[in-house]
Amino acid sequence: MIKGLKYNIYQQHCPARLFFEKIADKWVLLIINVLAKESQHFNLLKKNIEGISPKVLSQKLKMLERDGFIERQVQDTSPIRVEYSLTALGLEVAEMAFQLKDWAESNIEQIISAQQRFDAIQEKIE
């Protein structure tokens, strides 16, 4: 951040909004949560995050690396293997991501019940 410059995420052109766009992505949160436990190579990440395509995983990893949340380390093996791990910045984000994960897992039944009540009322109205 430039010294003396304050960001306001509620302003339209605030660059901090870009963080919200990226972190609100389910795949990004899942990748960060998995990597917070341990470094992993591409295929293991794909295995541990059910439903993610190789193309999407590759795109998200590149984006997270560009933003400084993860780092990739090429291992000199045959075949060459790349390990992904969180940076210090990524570990900070992982703390928040875990809180969201825990909250979602703890409250999903309440959300589903609310959706069902809402849908039932909407069916009666229509």
Side-chain angles (χ1 to χ4, degrees):
M1 184 168 134
I2 300 171
K3 202 169 190 124
L5 184 61
K6 300 273 186 199
Y7 295 111
N8 181 344
I9 205 149
Y10 296 103
Q11 292 179 343
Q12 181 178 358
H13 299 291
C14 178
R17 279 189 178 191
L18 297 174
F19 170 76
F20 271 22
E21 287 179 29
K22 291 176 183 180
I23 206 66
D25 182 287
K26 71 177 175 183
W27 298 123
V28 168
L29 287 172
L30 293 173
I31 291 167
I32 288 172
N33 277 333
V34 168
L35 288 177
K37 295 174 188 166
E38 64 181 342
S39 300
Q40 296 193 2
H41 59 85
F42 186 90
N43 286 331
L44 189 55
L45 273 169
K46 192 167 79 57
K47 178 182 174 188
N48 287 327
I49 303 172
E50 292 182 16
I52 192 167
S53 71
K55 178 182 177 183
V56 169
L57 179 57
S58 179
Q59 290 170 340
K60 300 303 177 182
L61 288 170
K62 285 177 185 171
M63 180 197 76
L64 288 166
E65 183 181 9
R66 181 175 183 261
D67 289 345
F69 296 120
I70 65 170
E71 60 186 5
R72 59 192 298 272
Q73 192 157 22
V74 179
Q75 297 177 339
D76 191 20
T77 58
S78 182
I80 292 177
R81 190 168 158 163
V82 179
E83 287 277 323
Y84 295 92
S85 60
L86 293 180
T87 62
L89 188 62
L91 286 168
E92 284 185 53
V93 172
E95 288 179 36
M96 292 181 288
F98 271 127
Q99 289 175 353
L100 285 170
K101 174 196 132 343
D102 288 344
W103 184 92
E105 290 172 347
S106 297
N107 292 285
I108 191 61
E109 288 180 11
Q110 291 178 358
I111 294 167
I112 291 169
S113 293
Q115 290 171 343
Q116 290 170 344
R117 285 191 305 275
F118 180 88
D119 293 345
I121 291 169
Q122 292 302 308
E123 285 179 16
K124 289 179 184 176
I125 294 172
E126 294 170 0

